């Protein structure tokens, strides 16, 4: 029997936990503040940010969507981030990616100071994640680890193939898996004979941005499959996994939508609360 991993239910559970934490903070007159910066009007970003703002309101976080025009200068953007970095009333800052193609900012991941980097993208946070130290853990990998916990999936000694080596999912996910004593192989869309690797895996995590990349013949029976893909194909949302076919061979699988996507936002709320707790302690 295949278990569909229910991201929506876990999202609700995490948001409830977040709500309780905010109530506790508010008793100490602390209201977590999150600023979400968007440059341009990317349709995907619009809907992701709308969900972030909605979840923040639900748990009691004070959030603001700062939408800058596509034509904004890099200087203006850097000045805004600098002022938010310095503003003691702001606990968390998120710069929604992707930025417009023409923007070429060197060391983009280093703009937001590590203490306010609720995305967990700054090299200091990425390094701490790798070392297994206290850090802001990137939201999607954090959500996936919560999913494993929720379904009592022990990662110790498991052969895990991570398809995707992005800075925002693949790399931090790999760090977390290594620290959970898994045996991790990192592949990408250019990997020669991807199936050779995925066929040996107990768990496959796909974050490659390639619709239906993982096919049924590429996995072994009873595999666990985590699909991070969010692709629009003919106007419909579709993951990186050929879901219907792969489902038949899986013991556990995440659907798209209703799987991993929702956990990213929920974990962002936890990170923002943690940022407020840490900064207000000082
Ligand atoms: N774009 C897609 N996912 C993310 C995310 O988790 N954080 C940011 N900042 N941008 C994204």
């Amino acid at each position: 029997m295949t278990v569909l991993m229910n991201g929506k239910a876990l999202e609700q559970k995490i948001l409830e936990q977040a709500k309780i934490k905010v109530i506790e903070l508010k008793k100490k007159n602390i209201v977590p503040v999150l600023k979400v910066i968007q440059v341009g009007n990317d349709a995907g970003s619009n809907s992701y940010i709308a969900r972030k703002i909605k979840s923040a309101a639900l748990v009691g976080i004070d959030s603001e969507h700062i939408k800058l025009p596509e034509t904004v200068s890099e200087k203006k953007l850097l000045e805004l981030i600098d002022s938010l970095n310095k503003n003691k009333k702001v606990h968390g800052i998120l710069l929604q990616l992707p930025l417009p193609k023409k923007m070429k900012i060197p060391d983009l991941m280093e703009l937001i100071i590590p203490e306010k980097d609720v995305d967990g993208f700054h090299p200091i946070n990425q390094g701490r994640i790798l070392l297994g130290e206290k850090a802001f853990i990137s939201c999607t990998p954090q959500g996936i680890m919560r999913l494993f916990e929720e379904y009592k999936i022990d990662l110790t000694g498991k052969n895990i193939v991570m398809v995707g080596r992005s800075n925002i999912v693949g790399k931090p996910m790999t760090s977390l898996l290594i620290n959970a004593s898994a045996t991790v192989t990192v592949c990408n869309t250019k990997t020669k004979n991807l199936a050779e690797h995925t066929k040996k895996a107990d768990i496959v995590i796909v974050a490659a941005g390639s619709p239906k990349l993982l096919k049924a013949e590429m996995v072994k029976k009873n595999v666990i499959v985590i699909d991070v893909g969010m692709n629009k194909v003919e106007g419909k949302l579709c993951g990186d996994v050929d879901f219907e076919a792969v489902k038949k061979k899986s013991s556990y699988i995440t659907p798209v939508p209703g799987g991993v996507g929702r956990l990213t936002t929920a974990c962002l709320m936890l990170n923002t609360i943690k940022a407020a707790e840490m900064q207000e302690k000082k």
Side-chain angles (χ1 to χ4, degrees), residues 4-136:
L4 279 192
M5 299 171 96
N6 190 339
K8 214 169 157 177
L10 181 56
E11 176 204 27
Q12 294 309 314
K13 201 167 162 178
I14 296 172
L15 291 178
E16 278 308 311
Q17 290 166 353
K19 216 186 225 176
I20 293 165
K21 285 184 181 203
V22 173
I23 291 170
E24 288 307 311
L25 280 176
K26 285 186 176 169
K27 283 182 192 160
K28 297 181 213 163
N29 288 324
I30 300 166
V31 181
V33 174
L34 171 69
K35 302 285 180 183
V36 180
I37 307 167
Q38 180 184 15
V39 183
N41 193 33
D42 177 79
S45 294
N46 286 340
S47 73
Y48 298 146
I49 293 173
R51 175 159 323 140
K52 287 167 187 170
I53 300 292
K54 196 171 155 199
S55 296
L58 194 90
V59 304
I61 290 173
D62 179 350
S63 74
E64 185 188 2
H65 178 187
I66 305 173
K67 193 164 180 165
L68 303 172
E70 179 125 11
T71 51
V72 76
S73 68
E74 290 174 13
K75 184 168 175 281
K76 271 262 158 61
L77 175 64
L78 299 189
E79 279 170 5
L80 170 68
I81 295 176
D82 188 46
S83 75
L84 294 174
N85 275 336
K86 289 178 178 147
N87 186 340
K88 289 217 173 353
K89 291 190 181 122
V90 175
H91 304 110
I93 309 167
L94 183 149
L95 176 60
Q96 186 69 28
L97 301 175
L99 291 178
K101 282 205 173 67
K102 67 170 177 46
M103 268 195 170
K104 298 266 181 282
I105 300 179
D107 305 324
L108 180 70
M109 300 302 208
E110 297 182 38
L111 297 180
I112 295 165
I113 56 171
E115 294 80 3
K116 299 190 180 188
D117 168 39
V118 284
D119 256 328
F121 290 171
H122 191 288
I124 295 238
N125 281 314
Q126 294 263 17
R128 286 181 180 152
I129 296 169
L130 180 61
L131 297 176
E133 293 175 3
K134 199 163 178 242
F136 286 111

Side-chain angles (χ1 to χ4, degrees), residues 85-212:
N85 275 336
K86 289 178 178 147
N87 186 340
K88 289 217 173 353
K89 291 190 181 122
V90 175
H91 304 110
I93 309 167
L94 183 149
L95 176 60
Q96 186 69 28
L97 301 175
L99 291 178
K101 282 205 173 67
K102 67 170 177 46
M103 268 195 170
K104 298 266 181 282
I105 300 179
D107 305 324
L108 180 70
M109 300 302 208
E110 297 182 38
L111 297 180
I112 295 165
I113 56 171
E115 294 80 3
K116 299 190 180 188
D117 168 39
V118 284
D119 256 328
F121 290 171
H122 191 288
I124 295 238
N125 281 314
Q126 294 263 17
R128 286 181 180 152
I129 296 169
L130 180 61
L131 297 176
E133 293 175 3
K134 199 163 178 242
F136 286 111
I137 298 174
S138 320
C139 302
T140 303
Q142 187 183 155
I144 294 171
M145 292 304 275
R146 295 283 296 235
L147 208 51
F148 288 136
E149 247 173 62
E150 184 71 12
Y151 285 87
K152 302 193 169 29
I153 295 167
D154 182 14
L155 303 178
T156 314
K158 293 272 163 58
N159 287 324
I160 305 184
V161 169
M162 174 72 236
V163 186
R165 43 89 205 277
S166 70
N167 291 332
I168 69 177
V169 182
K171 285 176 191 156
M173 189 73 240
T174 300
S175 298
L176 295 173
L177 297 171
I178 290 170
N179 291 334
S181 303
T183 305
V184 191
T185 305
V186 185
C187 299
N188 59 71
T189 51
K190 296 187 184 74
T191 297
K192 282 184 194 154
N193 204 349
L194 180 60
E196 200 175 282
H197 299 280
T198 54
K199 263 185 201 166
K200 291 185 196 151
D202 304 309
I203 301 174
V204 184
I205 304 173
V206 201
S210 182
K212 300 192 179 184

